Amino acid sequence: MNQQPDSHVATAPVDLFVIGGGINGAGIARDAAGRGLSVTLAEMNDLASATSSASTKLFHGGLRYLEYFEIGLVRHALTEREVLLKAMPHISWPMRFVLPYHRDMRFEGDTPTSKLLRLFMPWMRGRRPAWLIRLGLFLYDNLGGREILPATRSLSLRGTAEGAPLEDRFEKAFEYSDCWIEDSRLVVLNARDAELRGARIMTRTKVVSADRSADGWAVTVEHGADGQREVIRAKMLVNAGGPWVGDIIHNTARLNSSEGVRLVRGSHIVTKRLYDHDKCYFFQGTDGRIIFTIPYEQDFTLIGTTDADHPDPSVTPECTPEEQDYLIKFVNGYLKQDITRKDVVWTYSGVRPLYDDGASSATAATRDYTLKVDETGGAPILNVFGGKITTYRKLAEDALELIAPHFGGLSGHWTAGVALPGGDFPVDGVAQLIARLNADYGFLDESWAARLIRAYGTDAWALLGESKTLADMGEHFGATLTAREVAWLMNKEYALSAEDVVWRRSKLGLRMDEAQIARLDEWMQMRAAKQAASAAE
């Protein structure tokens, strides 16, 4: 008979216990800790190990959501783009998107806009007219108070770098702005900042149960490192479980709730670089859907995403062969040079937990977030449904508005314009930082220095410390990854395995072979064991 690990009860209750270490959980933990609340966050795996590391890597307003008349969602997202860009210029930067136009482009059949066009302009037969795209881009430029990002412009594809990779039938395009975001690093930096402001961040820690009483919650967690159980008392629970939000409601907290979540799988493929310039493409398919092709990690192209229902969160999402073929066929409808499955070097897939609003299709389901406080039968719980990575900070602010009445004297909004760790420099200051880092650490080449600045910003100096030579960086695992950097990731950024390092804290897995990754994992396990032995003495 298996014996359960002993449980340890924390003596003083915390104000908030957050379940889930994705972007919503980390963002709420950071905002709450910055307002003086005591916060504990538990994530059953690594931070950003599910949805928040599997996005299309964009801070964007969601141009296609205008066709669903989700004006409020788009406006909030557009406003947030520049707020976020200013706070994290190391992991976010502006990008230009080229939208090729052809008269045969069509709407998805069930959008509100397509239905109106069918009613008032039946002769269009579902085609998406150029004037409507221009109107949408005008709104996209002006809804969010754009200050930094360049405006939309029309673009000829004849004899231009943007037109060179495309089939000759595309003669004109529209070009507009959005922003890149390193999604996994965004989560880690929010968690790290929350911890710097007093929060307790626990990874590899599963919430076994949450028991409600009139004055609080008793949350039982099991630590993955040693199997020990701990009971943490909290005045309020935040369910930011992402794809598992429904499971937490019904099985962990055992609430009687009819609130539902719709799980939608989005898959991506990565190929070797498909074109020479640094702009993205916004491609519209004959089925009305859209995909992006995005320059990725200098030498690659990211292509995505799909929309498919994914009913069971316990099933690990994977980019299916059918989804790969769909994306390949989509791209081949635009590019002169066709690609095949042989060109795919990596795939990834994530599950978006959308609020179940009864939409007829996965594509039509709202990407906006819904926050619900339940205080029937005892202490309050805030359940978080849906959301986009672009609006995570606003979601956290709105969550704190609902949390605040349960805690007297909370301060107000504070996160807008406050830099994440390493982001305390101007939006246009990256090149200057790279040059400074090169000058201060002569053993770095320019691409290595650029990678460090793009990952760590001004913290790159703290990471490199007193290093004078390459030898001072310790063992070299490949692709410029050294023991000194890995030690930083373990000490400061919650990394425990090679997978954490090469697929979430970075994408160096695209450049490292299996033997190098295995050696990295071995080194990390040895280091963790030594630290554990030292702590036990």
Side-chain angles (χ1 to χ4, degrees):
M1 181 174 175
N2 292 331
Q3 221 176 1
Q4 293 292 342
D6 294 336
S7 295
H8 301 279
V9 181
T11 52
V14 297
D15 294 320
L16 286 187
F17 189 102
V18 180
I19 305 176
I23 189 53
N24 291 336
I28 290 170
R30 178 192 184 223
D31 195 328
R35 300 190 197 211
L37 293 178
S38 56
V39 179
T40 294
L41 180 148
E43 163 57 45
M44 63 181 175
N45 297 307
D46 182 30
L47 295 173
S49 58
T51 305
S52 295
S53 60
S55 76
T56 312
K57 326 296 182 191
L58 298 177
F59 278 153
H60 67 124
L63 180 60
R64 72 183 180 91
Y65 303 146
L66 289 175
E67 292 186 5
Y68 293 91
F69 297 162
E70 296 223 39
I71 305 298
L73 170 63
V74 176
R75 183 176 64 251
H76 288 152
L78 289 172
T79 302
E80 277 294 285
R81 286 183 313 179
E82 297 197 6
V83 173
L84 298 172
L85 180 61
K86 292 173 185 175
M88 53 196 78
H90 48 332
I91 62 170
S92 181
W93 52 88
M95 300 190 84
R96 294 291 278 174
F97 289 74
V98 176
L99 194 165
Y101 178 74
H102 191 272
R103 67 180 303 274
D104 288 334
M105 288 173 175
R106 282 179 163 36
F107 289 104
E108 187 183 19
D110 61 354
T111 69
T113 303
S114 68
K115 291 175 182 176
L116 280 177
L117 262 291
R118 281 202 305 269
L119 179 63
F120 293 106
M121 301 176 67
W123 60 89
M124 292 299 296
R125 297 181 181 177
R127 291 195 298 270
R128 188 183 267 121
W131 64 263
L132 190 65
I133 295 175
R134 283 195 294 268
L135 174 60
L137 288 169
F138 174 81
L139 292 172
Y140 207 69
D141 269 352
N142 293 284
L143 277 174
R146 177 182 50 82
E147 295 177 3
I148 298 173
L149 300 176
T152 296
R153 69 181 184 119
S154 296
L155 181 69
S156 171
L157 296 175
R158 291 296 188 199
T160 62
E162 295 87 350
L166 301 176
E167 293 181 354
D168 291 338
R169 64 193 178 96
F170 297 104
E171 298 182 358
K172 66 178 181 179
F174 304 99
E175 184 180 292
Y176 68 97
S177 293
D178 266 321
C179 297
W180 177 264
I181 179 59
E182 298 284 358
D183 53 4
S184 301
R185 294 207 55 73
L186 175 66
V187 179
V188 169
L189 293 182
N190 269 272
R192 184 173 165 221
D193 199 50
E195 185 174 46
L196 290 171
R197 298 175 190 277
R200 180 187 180 191
I201 306 296
M202 304 185 300
T203 64
R204 268 75 175 195
T205 301
K206 183 174 178 58
V207 175
V208 177
S209 64
D211 297 307
R212 189 184 217 170
S213 63
D215 58 354
W217 291 87
V219 184
T220 302
V221 302
E222 184 172 288
H223 299 287
D226 55 12
Q228 287 277 24
R229 287 195 173 186
E230 177 183 3
V231 178
I232 301 169
R233 302 200 180 278
K235 297 175 185 175
M236 186 171 184
L237 201 62
V238 175
N239 173 12
W244 293 270
V245 63
D247 182 68
I248 292 167
I249 289 172
H250 299 294
N251 299 321
T252 305
R254 299 181 298 280
L255 304 180
N256 183 17
S257 172
S258 60
E259 299 291 346
V261 64
R262 182 171 191 167
L263 302 182
V264 176
R265 185 177 67 251
S267 295
H268 301 76
I269 60 176
V270 175
T271 67
K272 288 291 187 181
R273 188 162 184 154
L274 298 181
Y275 45 86
D276 293 333
H277 61 79
D278 61 357
K279 294 178 182 178
C280 313
Y281 288 108
F282 178 117
F283 291 155
Q284 305 169 84
T286 55
D287 60 355
R289 291 215 63 249
I290 65 98
I291 65 165
F292 298 104
T293 68
I294 306 172
Y296 188 57
E297 296 292 320
Q298 288 78 51
D299 299 319
F300 303 92
T301 298
L302 171 64
I303 302 169
T305 180
T306 60
D307 272 323
D309 284 314
H310 188 89
D312 187 352
S314 67
V315 175
T316 302
E318 294 181 354
C319 184
T320 65
E322 293 76 18
E323 286 176 308
Q324 291 186 50
D325 290 342
Y326 173 82
L327 293 172
I328 289 168
K329 182 179 179 181
F330 207 138
V331 168
N332 288 345
Y334 276 81
L335 299 183
K336 289 176 182 173
Q337 185 65 47
D338 283 356
I339 62 172
T340 70
R341 279 205 213 167
K342 292 181 180 179
D343 297 300
V344 176
V345 298
W346 183 51
T347 70
Y348 69 90
S349 187
V351 176
R352 298 186 287 269
L354 309 180
Y355 186 66
D356 192 352
D357 59 356
S360 60
S361 70
T363 303
T366 182
R367 267 55 176 174
D368 212 347
Y369 55 83
T370 299
L371 307 175
K372 299 280 188 176
V373 174
D374 182 330
E375 47 191 324
T376 57
I381 177 174
L382 171 66
N383 295 307
V384 180
F385 301 92
K388 285 164 46 67
I389 197 166
T390 313
T391 51
Y392 89 89
R393 190 198 65 84
K394 190 70 175 67
L395 181 152
E397 280 190 343
D398 289 350
L400 265 294
E401 290 293 314
L402 296 174
I403 290 168
H406 302 277
F407 302 93
L410 276 191
S411 57
H413 299 171
W414 68 274
T415 55
V418 176
L420 288 174
D424 51 340
F425 63 94
V427 169
D428 60 357
V430 169
Q432 183 179 359
L433 281 188
I434 293 170
R436 274 182 50 207
L437 197 68
N438 260 140
D440 291 347
Y441 298 93
F443 58 86
L444 301 175
D445 62 28
E446 186 173 352
S447 63
W448 189 356
R451 182 181 73 78
L452 293 176
I453 291 299
R454 278 302 187 193
Y456 307 105
T458 55
D459 276 345
W461 279 263
L463 185 157
L464 294 168
E466 300 300 317
S467 300
K468 302 295 183 186
T469 68
L470 184 59
D472 294 334
M473 298 293 288
E475 184 172 345
H476 193 285
F477 301 105
T480 72
L481 182 68
T482 63
R484 188 174 190 93
E485 183 176 355
V486 177
W488 172 277
L489 293 171
M490 295 180 75
N491 292 340
K492 304 286 188 181
E493 296 194 5
Y494 318 99
L496 292 177
S497 71
E499 183 181 352
D500 299 349
V501 171
V502 304
W503 292 117
R504 284 185 285 276
R505 306 306 182 278
S506 73
K507 290 296 180 286
L508 293 176
L510 290 168
R511 304 177 186 280
M512 296 172 68
D513 61 34
E514 290 183 7
Q516 290 172 323
I517 294 172
R519 171 55 193 155
L520 168 62
D521 205 54
E522 179 185 33
W523 186 92
M524 293 177 70
Q525 302 318 310
M526 289 171 56
R527 185 178 189 275
K530 287 179 182 177
Q531 288 183 320
S534 177
E537 290 177 357

